[in-house]
Amino acid sequence: MQHPIRQISLWAMHADRAPIRSYMGPSVMGVPAAVAARLAPPFIDRGVRVNEATEEAVRANLATLDSMLDQAEEWIAASVLDSEELSAADFQIGASVRLLLTFQDLRPLIEDRPACRLARRAVPAYRGDAPPVFPAAWLEPLRSPSLAAPWAPDPESQSPSAARTVSGVGRTR
């Protein structure tokens, strides 16, 4: 999830530089935030090139974002993520999803999902507020997910004695 979300974020910050300062604290590595914000565009441009944050990549990432969140929510349902004690994976996925929540046009489309609850738990405070920047057609896959509430737990799979391995993660519950 990290790379596609990085591409989405870099593309958005390249498309609209106005919110850059909202992502910064009072200073960035000892540099006042206002100065750092003025210096940020070349670094964002470089990030766009290095991470290949092209329009095509971002459109594809947004088209598959629902399935990426579904996968994280399968891990949440299986207690691989968002357990009593947070793991490194919780913080990696949580921080990535938390970054998505800073985009005003993405927030309402994903904020009620379990992955977003994990994100807010793992990273309670996250700077940044970016106004809408993504074309409406790019967001359509998020507006009409293929399944209604795919993250709703299956009652039969909630048995405490049921052990299963989650695809891609070597942990059982």
Side-chain angles (χ1 to χ4, degrees):
M1 283 180 87
Q2 289 177 315
H3 186 64
I5 291 173
R6 183 179 307 112
Q7 288 178 316
I8 290 167
S9 302
L10 285 166
W11 184 91
M13 289 181 199
H14 179 77
D16 182 359
R17 298 173 192 271
I20 290 172
R21 184 160 182 199
S22 73
Y23 288 88
M24 300 177 185
S27 70
V28 179
M29 297 187 300
V31 176
V35 174
R38 285 195 304 272
L39 297 173
F43 294 99
I44 292 170
D45 293 345
R46 174 98 172 122
V48 165
R49 284 190 307 279
V50 168
N51 290 283
E52 299 176 340
T54 63
E55 179 178 313
E56 295 78 24
V58 172
R59 289 181 74 161
N61 293 336
L62 289 170
T64 60
L65 183 58
D66 191 55
S67 64
M68 284 187 266
L69 293 171
D70 286 348
Q71 178 63 67
E73 288 158 355
E74 285 179 29
W75 292 334
I76 290 169
S79 298
V80 172
L81 293 175
D82 203 20
S83 295
E84 187 176 327
E85 187 175 326
L86 295 176
S87 68
D90 290 304
F91 290 107
Q92 288 178 319
I93 291 173
S96 294
V97 174
R98 195 69 169 95
L99 177 57
L100 289 176
L101 292 171
T102 67
F103 296 99
Q104 291 176 14
D105 42 6
L106 296 179
R107 189 180 312 134
L109 301 173
I110 63 174
E111 69 185 341
D112 293 329
R113 298 186 64 149
C116 294
R117 286 192 292 279
L118 165 63
R120 287 187 173 110
R121 180 177 172 220
V123 188
Y126 199 105
R127 293 186 184 280
D129 185 36
V133 66
F134 302 103
W138 296 12
L139 302 176
E140 200 54 44
L142 290 168
R143 286 195 181 96
S144 28
S146 56
L147 301 173
W151 55 89
D154 174 8
E156 291 182 25
S157 69
Q158 298 305 304
S159 163
S161 62
R164 66 180 192 210
T165 301
V166 177
S167 173
V169 178
R171 188 168 142 190
T172 60
R173 85 170 174 126

